[in-house]
Amino acid sequence: MTRKVRMGVSFYVAAKGRGPSRIGLSGATSPGEALLTRCMAPAPDAPVIGGGYVLRDKGPLR
């Protein structure tokens, strides 16, 4: 059986003049640990230091 890896990513996009936008990222779990499930991304706490990216909603999760 192939082990699938899931990582969690969360974003906070600050309104203009309301502080920095932030990102949260979790690493994959180790073999033998429970896999991450949906909505298990950490709170966005790392400030975004570069820009020029566009975050778009792809649609509902499956």
Side-chain angles (χ1 to χ4, degrees):
M1 180 170 147
T2 302
R3 183 175 189 274
K4 298 195 181 211
V5 177
R6 180 178 284 214
M7 297 175 70
V9 179
S10 61
F11 299 93
Y12 169 73
V13 180
K16 195 169 194 170
R18 296 285 187 170
S21 294
R22 299 184 301 269
I23 184 171
L25 177 66
S26 72
T29 56
S30 298
E33 291 182 331
L35 297 176
L36 295 176
T37 59
R38 287 184 185 168
C39 300
M40 288 189 68
D45 61 351
V48 176
I49 57 174
Y53 298 97
V54 175
L55 184 61
R56 292 191 177 104
D57 186 0
K58 185 175 179 180
L61 296 173
R62 294 184 240 179

